[in-house]
Amino acid sequence: MARVRRNLDVLASELSSHGFQFGFYPDGEEVPAYSGPLVPLTERQDETVRQLETVIGGAVPLSIVGLWKWVGAVCFVGYADDWPDYADPIWIEGPASSLNEFPDWKWRCQEGYQDGPFGLIIAPDVCHKDNVSGGAPYEIAVPNLGLDGALRNHSREYYLIDYLRNALAWGGFPGAEGADTPLPNWLMRTAKQLEPF
């Protein structure tokens, strides 16, 4: 995850130097409460993870705990001229989002509106990242004693580590694979030079 952080730092710097506008949806509207492309979590992060594991009654996969610890929260939502639509920019929510969502999920289950295991919120879906109404967020079902967790509500079958590898291979924008408008050459050259993990 330390390599993932260094790779994301490289991509964020490269995007900024080429005029990419972080924190704005492609339609120009600001992303609410945007704090930056990479936001280290506070020292309270370990306590938040413990609280989360207490309320869900079990473990969170080590992959997401490591990601939160070494990387923090990530949000590459932004725009630039001639950028592909629905590029699905990398976005990783911190543990507080899931902790805050748990009471609503529990109420929906009690009222019969929802069943199945709770999902850690990883990111909004590809449509919401373009400020368009879409589907359920990308999630990882918990409790989960595994090293990694499968993403729910994604169009592909991914575990978190695979998702991160694919996202970085596409410069942080995995939805651009097969898009009519390609990502810029400078970004793809940078992606090819990132550290493997």
Side-chain angles (χ1 to χ4, degrees), residues 109-154:
C109 289
Q110 290 169 343
E111 296 297 316
Y113 298 124
Q114 187 162 353
D115 59 5
F118 179 66
L120 289 180
I121 298 172
I122 302 301
D125 79 320
V126 61
C127 293
H128 281 100
K129 290 177 184 178
D130 268 27
N131 207 23
V132 174
S133 181
Y138 303 157
E139 300 174 333
I140 293 176
V142 288
N144 181 337
L145 291 169
L147 293 174
D148 203 359
L151 286 185
R152 294 193 308 203
N153 307 320
H154 196 284

Side-chain angles (χ1 to χ4, degrees), residues 152-196:
R152 294 193 308 203
N153 307 320
H154 196 284
S155 60
R156 291 187 177 183
E157 292 185 14
Y158 276 129
Y159 278 77
L160 180 64
I161 299 295
D162 295 329
Y163 168 75
L164 293 172
R165 286 183 176 137
N166 189 57
L168 292 178
W170 286 93
F173 300 88
E177 183 178 0
D180 292 338
T181 304
L183 288 167
N185 289 334
W186 54 262
L187 182 59
M188 296 311 295
R189 279 195 305 269
T190 301
K192 287 184 171 114
Q193 296 167 4
L194 296 176
E195 291 182 76

Side-chain angles (χ1 to χ4, degrees), residues 51-74:
Q51 290 175 351
L52 185 56
E53 289 180 328
T54 298
V55 300
I56 65 173
V60 172
L62 288 178
S63 61
I64 190 66
V65 173
L67 185 64
W68 286 333
K69 179 177 181 177
W70 292 99
V71 177
V74 181

Side-chain angles (χ1 to χ4, degrees), residues 52-100:
L52 185 56
E53 289 180 328
T54 298
V55 300
I56 65 173
V60 172
L62 288 178
S63 61
I64 190 66
V65 173
L67 185 64
W68 286 333
K69 179 177 181 177
W70 292 99
V71 177
V74 181
C75 183
F76 274 25
V77 170
Y79 76 93
D81 292 337
D82 300 321
W83 208 258
D85 292 329
Y86 303 105
D88 199 16
I90 190 167
W91 182 326
I92 305 291
E93 290 281 353
S97 294
S98 293
L99 187 60
N100 293 336

